[in-house]
Amino acid sequence: MSQAGKPKPAFFLAVLAVVAGLCGMAFYRCNAKKKVVDDAPIDLKTIKENAGGGTTAVAESPDSNTVTTVKEYTFEAAQKLPAVPGTAEYKPLGKTRVVKFAFNVWAGWAPIIWANGGKGPKKIWKDAKGQDFQVELVQLDNPVDMGNAFASGDLHVGWATVDMLPLIVQRLKNDPRTMPRVFQQVDWSNGGDGIVVRDEIKSVADLRGKTVVLAQNSPSHFFLLNMLINGGVQPSEVKIKPTQDAFQAAAAFNAEKSVAAAVSWAPDIYNLSKIPGNRLLVSTATANKLIADVWFARADFARDNPEIIEGLVRGILDATTELKDEAKQREVAKLMDEVYSLPPGSAQGMLADAHWCNYAENREFFLNANNPTNFERTYNTAFLLYKAVRVVEEKVPFDQIMDFSVIKKLGKDEKYASQKNEYEFRFAPTATEAINVESAILTKTVVISFFPNSYDLYKKVPSASGGDDLFYDPNVETTIEEIAKLAGQFGAARIQISGHTDASMKGVADEGLVRDLSQNRANSVKEALVNKFKLQPNQFVSTGLGWSKPADPGDPDNHVKNRRVEVKVIPAEAQ
């Protein structure tokens, strides 16, 4: 999401820190056992006999949850959502029942503008019992103003990106009546947000030591932090120069040549990238499942008006289906020009910046626990980032604000149940050599502690205490999930997985055997991602690099560190 006035909060900083900590603990916990194996003499015959190390187990999916890639949450929403005590303090709906629904200047709101026939309460909506109600769209671009109106009861429904929710919940959690209840995903940002850089910046790693302008505590900040962390750059290594909004960030980048990058939104990111000496490093056209827009109701309003909540979900979903028609898209663009007071024709160019989510996509987002970019993972990641920068402290669990009851109920209606996920980038098979790895926008090093001579992710070793066998790398599931989130967020990018081995047998072992082992390590990671997280096999290209690229060229004998996997994100235009 983005476009005029759409702030986007600060997030992704903590996730890598947390994962790095977990992987670090795995490294030190396992190091003593591995050291014994590293120092033990192993001849070539032994290596060949042990190199498989569990091929069959990986191929047969050792995770019992991977029998199906769709795993619904086992609890009912009503079991998790806290009770809402007390009398409602929102403004009464009135005789004609008018719902005050906040929105901002953004292409993602086209479906509700279409469903409502504009801004004012004119069109008649139907609730779940067939009774009439109306909707008044209240434009509030500043999220602080929106939150204040929501808390005071002037609004019944608010807007947010999921990455904003930890901040919003922090402000509203003291009164259970105002706690958000998130019912529907409206869209994914589909190119509206991006990072424009100077020509010499070729990847995220090149931002180290540079100045970046952006609007703080906004999805722009979240976007940058996500890129930095996944690219191995600590936020402290980048000088962030805050601006009041994304428009001013673009203007500052244009005016000050000392600024290396700006995080902004369309049309500024595209206009800036056309200027000689500038380029678009990455946008949400590539990171297309990173920023999600949702709407939420006050908990007391949702408690008192469940039929209206269902009517809103149905109405917006039906409008999303209707807007597949290009003639209707032209009509809604005219409505948006009027609603947002834009020059005629402006909104037409905004529409491609958002992908409106149908029922099937909402079901994936709210109900599929194995979806790497679902509500739970997006929200939890955002919280970790905010906690790391000391913006939030106490976590409100995702299942205390996410209410999927309506989405689940609509699955019994054939009109919705028959819909398919239409936001899947289709990848053609490609050879490793056809991928331009030099065009990777970021490289993420992940530590998977492989047992020597093995590529079995789930290999177990005897417990020192004599109990049940233990996973050789107890954090492998967490690490695989981190790669899955990265691949899911960059749903339009090719992901290269490279496997590596240590050089403890250099000069002794056959180099072809070593390359095969590293290739199998990359393949085992790919299989785990595809089996559990419903990711497309053709999105991934796996390669084995043997011992040719040690993690630290200055310390090539650090064997545990070198038994690893690296992940590169390569945008579609570079393939």
mmCIF file of all heavy atoms in Angstrom, residues 38 70 150 190 252 329 351 370 378 387 481 510 556:
data_model
loop_
_atom_site.group_PDB
_atom_site.id
_atom_site.type_symbol
_atom_site.label_atom_id
_atom_site.label_comp_id
_atom_site.label_asym_id
_atom_site.label_seq_id
_atom_site.Cartn_x
_atom_site.Cartn_y
_atom_site.Cartn_z
ATOM 1 N N ASP A 38 34.446 -33.139 13.414
ATOM 2 C CA ASP A 38 35.338 -32.419 12.510
ATOM 3 C C ASP A 38 36.774 -32.912 12.626
ATOM 4 O O ASP A 38 37.502 -32.996 11.641
ATOM 5 C CB ASP A 38 35.302 -30.920 12.823
ATOM 6 C CG ASP A 38 34.003 -30.273 12.369
ATOM 7 O OD1 ASP A 38 33.290 -30.865 11.545
ATOM 8 O OD2 ASP A 38 33.722 -29.182 12.858
ATOM 9 N N VAL A 70 -2.093 -26.892 3.345
ATOM 10 C CA VAL A 70 -3.059 -25.989 3.969
ATOM 11 C C VAL A 70 -3.416 -26.560 5.334
ATOM 12 O O VAL A 70 -3.989 -27.629 5.435
ATOM 13 C CB VAL A 70 -4.333 -25.829 3.116
ATOM 14 C CG1 VAL A 70 -5.357 -24.971 3.839
ATOM 15 C CG2 VAL A 70 -3.980 -25.235 1.759
ATOM 16 N N PHE A 150 -11.376 6.799 16.393
ATOM 17 C CA PHE A 150 -11.809 5.430 16.654
ATOM 18 C C PHE A 150 -11.991 5.215 18.155
ATOM 19 O O PHE A 150 -12.998 4.671 18.609
ATOM 20 C CB PHE A 150 -10.749 4.473 16.092
ATOM 21 C CG PHE A 150 -11.112 3.021 16.142
ATOM 22 C CD1 PHE A 150 -11.865 2.429 15.138
ATOM 23 C CD2 PHE A 150 -10.661 2.218 17.183
ATOM 24 C CE1 PHE A 150 -12.174 1.081 15.173
ATOM 25 C CE2 PHE A 150 -10.960 0.860 17.232
ATOM 26 C CZ PHE A 150 -11.728 0.289 16.225
ATOM 27 N N ASN A 190 1.018 -3.518 -4.488
ATOM 28 C CA ASN A 190 1.462 -4.211 -5.698
ATOM 29 C C ASN A 190 2.307 -3.290 -6.579
ATOM 30 O O ASN A 190 2.045 -3.152 -7.760
ATOM 31 C CB ASN A 190 0.241 -4.719 -6.469
ATOM 32 C CG ASN A 190 0.602 -5.588 -7.651
ATOM 33 O OD1 ASN A 190 1.362 -6.520 -7.509
ATOM 34 N ND2 ASN A 190 0.057 -5.273 -8.817
ATOM 35 N N ALA A 252 13.296 15.370 -0.788
ATOM 36 C CA ALA A 252 14.627 15.495 -0.185
ATOM 37 C C ALA A 252 15.662 14.709 -0.988
ATOM 38 O O ALA A 252 16.787 15.176 -1.199
ATOM 39 C CB ALA A 252 14.590 14.989 1.257
ATOM 40 N N GLN A 329 -13.722 -0.672 -13.663
ATOM 41 C CA GLN A 329 -12.508 -0.060 -13.130
ATOM 42 C C GLN A 329 -12.404 1.402 -13.564
ATOM 43 O O GLN A 329 -12.006 2.262 -12.775
ATOM 44 C CB GLN A 329 -11.273 -0.835 -13.597
ATOM 45 C CG GLN A 329 -11.115 -2.203 -12.947
ATOM 46 C CD GLN A 329 -9.865 -2.933 -13.426
ATOM 47 O OE1 GLN A 329 -8.917 -2.312 -13.901
ATOM 48 N NE2 GLN A 329 -9.869 -4.249 -13.313
ATOM 49 N N LEU A 351 -4.633 2.541 -9.806
ATOM 50 C CA LEU A 351 -5.289 1.253 -9.571
ATOM 51 C C LEU A 351 -4.321 0.073 -9.554
ATOM 52 O O LEU A 351 -4.496 -0.870 -8.777
ATOM 53 C CB LEU A 351 -6.381 1.017 -10.626
ATOM 54 C CG LEU A 351 -7.570 1.985 -10.591
ATOM 55 C CD1 LEU A 351 -8.607 1.569 -11.621
ATOM 56 C CD2 LEU A 351 -8.192 2.069 -9.202
ATOM 57 N N ASN A 370 -0.153 -22.498 7.648
ATOM 58 C CA ASN A 370 1.097 -22.788 6.944
ATOM 59 C C ASN A 370 1.441 -21.740 5.889
ATOM 60 O O ASN A 370 2.446 -21.896 5.188
ATOM 61 C CB ASN A 370 1.025 -24.167 6.281
ATOM 62 C CG ASN A 370 1.437 -25.278 7.227
ATOM 63 O OD1 ASN A 370 1.911 -25.021 8.330
ATOM 64 N ND2 ASN A 370 1.248 -26.518 6.813
ATOM 65 N N THR A 378 2.845 -12.011 9.762
ATOM 66 C CA THR A 378 3.076 -10.593 9.471
ATOM 67 C C THR A 378 2.947 -9.757 10.734
ATOM 68 O O THR A 378 3.787 -8.894 11.017
ATOM 69 C CB THR A 378 2.075 -10.102 8.399
ATOM 70 O OG1 THR A 378 2.159 -10.952 7.250
ATOM 71 C CG2 THR A 378 2.385 -8.677 7.971
ATOM 72 N N LYS A 387 9.305 -3.984 19.136
ATOM 73 C CA LYS A 387 9.858 -4.241 20.463
ATOM 74 C C LYS A 387 11.356 -3.988 20.477
ATOM 75 O O LYS A 387 11.917 -3.444 21.442
ATOM 76 C CB LYS A 387 9.557 -5.675 20.895
ATOM 77 C CG LYS A 387 10.018 -5.985 22.318
ATOM 78 C CD LYS A 387 9.649 -7.394 22.740
ATOM 79 C CE LYS A 387 10.100 -7.660 24.176
ATOM 80 N NZ LYS A 387 9.784 -9.050 24.602
ATOM 81 N N GLU A 481 11.360 -21.494 8.346
ATOM 82 C CA GLU A 481 10.252 -20.539 8.323
ATOM 83 C C GLU A 481 10.729 -19.149 7.916
ATOM 84 O O GLU A 481 10.034 -18.434 7.193
ATOM 85 C CB GLU A 481 9.561 -20.482 9.686
ATOM 86 C CG GLU A 481 8.389 -19.515 9.708
ATOM 87 C CD GLU A 481 7.523 -19.639 10.950
ATOM 88 O OE1 GLU A 481 7.378 -20.769 11.460
ATOM 89 O OE2 GLU A 481 7.012 -18.617 11.394
ATOM 90 N N ASP A 510 36.898 -36.293 -3.030
ATOM 91 C CA ASP A 510 36.599 -35.999 -4.427
ATOM 92 C C ASP A 510 35.733 -34.734 -4.506
ATOM 93 O O ASP A 510 34.698 -34.650 -3.850
ATOM 94 C CB ASP A 510 35.853 -37.186 -5.037
ATOM 95 C CG ASP A 510 35.470 -36.941 -6.484
ATOM 96 O OD1 ASP A 510 36.330 -37.142 -7.364
ATOM 97 O OD2 ASP A 510 34.324 -36.523 -6.714
ATOM 98 N N PRO A 556 38.576 -19.562 6.720
ATOM 99 C CA PRO A 556 38.016 -20.658 5.915
ATOM 100 C C PRO A 556 37.934 -21.988 6.655
ATOM 101 O O PRO A 556 37.243 -22.902 6.211
ATOM 102 C CB PRO A 556 38.987 -20.749 4.727
ATOM 103 C CG PRO A 556 40.289 -20.224 5.270
ATOM 104 C CD PRO A 556 39.904 -19.128 6.227
#
